[in-house]
């Protein structure tokens, strides 16, 4: 998800089992306002330790191992100011976790975490899929994706609608896999079962896609999405081509719509307002549910400075923070389905849907809808706290899935 909020990674150390140093160890880091599940992957042969932060979707974070013996471990992650020193006692790794000036006891036990994802489809599928490649030639980016046809699709003579799926902020694979969920896979499966084709693709430099994303901005990611649209048009298989974008991907949908590149837009919490103003609300809202009693930022400038301090300055951040999405939204003529969750702290509906209602041109086919109790990921999460995403089994509300397929099918 590419995501619109900053995540602070609290990292832990790993210890060895006096009898078996290899394998996985799990521990819980209690931060007061939240708990983080840490998984250590220890390889005795290579003397390496990596760590997952389950709730934050971080995997295989590398460390510098200082000590790894039959019963003791010491490692650190310098760029995060983290260190851990522990010793195996009675089958548990007991030690001290430290990050900068913060330190606390932390114990690991052998084992990992199994996530239950009941909505995730499993093969064999009752529909056809095709692995495809397409190019954004000006940017020398080759994108790899999966084209999913609906159940019963026979040939190009059977015209069906298709959507290009565009992920949110940050580099993700074609399933928009984050926090143990695969929302785009779930959406593609639902659409295929309701007569709609889809193309989802890996972001630049992820999975099977090639290309340098280090200097990319939202505009370059828009060019990639446009390349996907052009590729589908050249196949001459579809009755209409739309874009389904989540978060920043939803904004890219408005960009494409403003240039008449698509036949319809499905925006899942896509920012339609001024981004710098939205970030003020976002930062303070997330801080509040995580225990802060005072506002962290009071102006767009402070929001920008906060984001730079948390993430470092980048071409993407500078461009994104400068966007006024209303300039794109007011030029969109195609039908739009704009959805938001009332508990969304990342793209708050209070500011975002107000901008949509004020700037989106009138179209009798437009639908703007909010859902009580749904978060930025359209999970049932009344607090909207992003640290809960991983622990929620639901990937995306079925009501949202139904509204998406009803909207697209209703256009034809």
């Amino acid at each position: 998800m590419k995501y619109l909020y900053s995540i602070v990674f609290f990292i832990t150390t790993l210890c060895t089992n006096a009898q078996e140093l290899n394998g996985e160890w799990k521990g819980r880091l209690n931060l007061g306002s939240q708990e983080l599940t840490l998984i250590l992957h220890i390889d005795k042969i290579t003397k390496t330790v990596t760590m997952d932060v389950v709730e934050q979707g971080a995997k295989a974070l590398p460390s510098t191992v200082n000590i790894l013996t039959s019963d003791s471990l010491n490692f650190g992650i310098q760029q995060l100011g983290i260190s851990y020193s522990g010793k195996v006692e009675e089958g548990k790794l007991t030690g001290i976790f430290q990050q900068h000036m913060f330190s606390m006891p932390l114990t690991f036990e052998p084992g990992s975490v199994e996530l239950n994802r009941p909505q995730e489809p499993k093969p064999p599928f009752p529909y056809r899929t095709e692995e495809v490649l397409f190019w954004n030639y000006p940017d020398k980016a080759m994108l790899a994706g999966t084209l999913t046809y609906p159940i019963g699709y026979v040939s190009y003579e059977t015209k069906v609608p298709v959507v290009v799926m565009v992920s949110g902020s940050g580099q993700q694979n074609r399933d928009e896999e984050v926090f143990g969920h695969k929302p785009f896979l779930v959406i593609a499966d639902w659409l295929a079962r309701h007569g709609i084709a889809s193309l989802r693709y890996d972001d630049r430099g992820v999975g099977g896609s090639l290309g340098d994303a280090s200097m990319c901005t939202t505009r370059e990611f828009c060019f990639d999405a446009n390349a996907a649209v052009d590729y589908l048009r050249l196949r001459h298989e579809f009755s209409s081509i739309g874009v389904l974008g989540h978060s920043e991907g939803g904004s890219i949908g408005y960009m494409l719509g403003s240039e008449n590149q698509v036949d319809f837009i499905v925006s899942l919490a896509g920012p339609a307002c001024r981004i710098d103003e939205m970030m003020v609300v976002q930062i303070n809202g997330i801080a509040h549910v995580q225990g802060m009693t005072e506002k962290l930022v009071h102006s767009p400038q402070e929001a920008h400075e906060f984001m730079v301090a948390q993430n470092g300055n980048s071409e993407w951040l500078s461009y994104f923070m400068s966007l006024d999405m209303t300039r794109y939204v007011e030029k969109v003529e195609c039908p739009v389905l704009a959805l938001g969750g009332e508990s969304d702290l990342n793209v708050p509906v209070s500011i975002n849907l107000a901008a949509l209602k004020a700037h989106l041109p009138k179209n009798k086919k437009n639908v703007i809808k909010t859902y009580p109790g749904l978060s930025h990921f359209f999970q049932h999460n009344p607090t909207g706290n992003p640290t809960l995403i991983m622990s929620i089994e639901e990937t995306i509300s079925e009501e949202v899935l139904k509204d998406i397929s009803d909207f697209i099918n209703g256009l034809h």
Side-chain angles (χ1 to χ4, degrees):
M1 177 236 229
K2 300 165 184 172
Y3 294 104
L4 301 179
Y5 60 88
S6 165
I7 297 178
V8 178
F9 292 113
F10 289 86
I11 297 184
T12 83
T13 161
L14 89 56
C15 200
T16 86
N17 189 317
Q19 298 174 342
E20 178 56 63
L21 302 179
N22 290 320
E24 298 180 331
W25 296 72
K26 60 182 178 180
R28 296 286 289 175
L29 185 63
N30 190 335
L31 304 174
S33 61
Q34 63 176 306
E35 289 189 355
L36 297 178
T37 304
L38 308 179
I39 307 296
L40 300 177
H41 304 274
I42 303 173
D43 190 319
K44 181 179 178 181
I45 296 177
T46 61
K47 293 189 178 297
T48 59
V49 175
T50 62
M51 187 183 73
D52 302 340
V53 185
V54 176
E55 289 78 7
Q56 297 177 339
K59 296 182 178 179
L61 298 170
S63 71
T64 299
V65 179
N66 302 312
I67 299 174
L68 178 52
T69 68
S70 61
D71 66 351
S72 300
L73 178 79
N74 180 287
F75 78 90
I77 303 178
Q78 184 176 0
Q79 63 269 32
L80 296 173
I82 289 171
S83 65
Y84 180 86
S85 182
K87 187 178 181 65
V88 175
E89 299 175 350
E90 299 181 353
K92 297 181 179 181
L93 175 59
T94 302
I96 299 295
F97 164 87
Q98 183 165 351
Q99 183 175 34
H100 302 302
M101 301 300 292
F102 168 82
S103 65
M104 67 176 298
L106 180 59
T107 298
F108 289 90
E109 298 179 356
S112 188
V113 175
E114 295 294 330
L115 300 175
N116 185 31
R117 298 292 181 254
Q119 288 179 289
E120 187 172 314
K122 304 295 182 184
F125 302 120
Y127 46 78
R128 180 164 66 91
T129 64
E130 179 183 342
E131 299 303 295
V132 301
L133 297 173
F134 58 93
W135 283 85
N136 172 351
Y137 288 103
D139 289 357
K140 299 179 180 179
M142 184 191 76
L143 291 310
T146 300
L147 180 58
T148 301
Y149 293 94
I151 293 175
Y153 182 88
V154 179
S155 70
Y156 69 91
E157 296 178 355
T158 308
K159 298 293 185 180
V160 296
V162 64
V163 295
V164 173
M165 299 189 188
V166 186
S167 63
S169 306
Q171 300 310 104
Q172 289 133 64
N173 64 22
R174 66 193 67 186
D175 297 328
E176 200 190 31
E177 184 174 358
V178 289
F179 308 115
H181 290 279
K182 299 178 180 179
F184 279 7
L185 174 61
V186 172
I187 294 172
D189 178 80
W190 176 275
L191 295 180
R193 297 172 188 273
H194 291 80
I196 303 164
S198 64
L199 172 59
R200 63 191 197 276
Y201 58 92
D202 300 327
D203 292 333
R204 294 191 196 190
V206 177
S209 292
L210 304 177
D212 184 6
S214 62
M215 301 298 289
C216 287
T217 69
T218 307
R219 194 62 188 168
E220 281 71 41
F221 295 131
C222 183
F223 294 155
D224 290 347
N226 202 12
V229 171
D230 290 342
Y231 168 76
L232 292 176
R233 291 201 189 282
L234 289 174
R235 292 181 67 111
H236 303 293
E237 294 178 275
F238 307 104
S239 58
S240 60
I241 301 174
V243 59
L244 182 154
H246 180 221
S247 199
E248 183 186 13
S251 291
I252 288 173
Y254 295 131
M255 289 178 168
L256 292 174
S258 72
E259 298 173 352
N260 298 313
Q261 296 298 308
V262 292
D263 300 311
F264 61 90
I265 297 168
V266 177
S267 176
L268 304 179
C273 54
R274 280 189 49 161
I275 300 299
D276 56 359
E277 293 179 352
M278 182 193 77
M279 293 303 294
V280 175
V281 183
Q282 178 197 119
I283 292 168
N284 290 326
I286 292 175
H288 177 73
V289 299
Q290 295 183 356
M292 295 293 294
T293 57
E294 298 182 359
K295 291 183 177 180
L296 292 179
V297 297
H298 301 84
S299 67
Q301 181 178 349
E302 288 186 5
H304 193 175
E305 293 170 353
F306 177 87
M307 293 298 292
V308 170
Q310 292 293 313
N311 303 285
N313 206 357
S314 67
E315 292 290 330
W316 175 84
L317 182 60
S318 295
Y319 185 92
F320 187 72
M321 292 291 291
S322 69
L323 281 174
D324 180 357
M325 287 305 305
T326 64
R327 298 179 180 178
Y328 297 95
V329 170
E330 63 189 13
K331 297 178 182 177
V332 174
E333 298 180 357
C334 66
V336 173
L337 173 65
L339 305 181
E342 288 186 356
S343 300
D344 189 343
L345 299 178
N346 300 73
V347 183
V349 294
S350 59
I351 184 173
N352 199 53
L353 294 192
L356 267 175
K357 292 177 180 179
H359 295 278
L360 183 65
K362 301 298 182 183
N363 186 321
K364 63 181 181 180
K365 295 183 178 180
N366 287 347
V367 177
I368 300 175
K369 183 176 180 178
T370 61
Y371 301 86
L374 296 193
S375 66
H376 186 62
F377 287 86
F378 295 91
Q379 297 171 306
H380 284 86
N381 178 4
T383 69
N385 192 335
T387 64
L388 301 179
I389 296 169
M390 180 73 75
S391 63
I392 298 173
E393 294 185 355
E394 177 186 49
T395 295
I396 181 172
S397 164
E398 188 167 311
E399 181 183 358
V400 173
L401 294 172
K402 183 178 185 301
D403 285 342
I404 293 171
S405 57
D406 285 352
F407 171 77
I408 297 173
N409 286 325
L411 298 176
H412 304 86

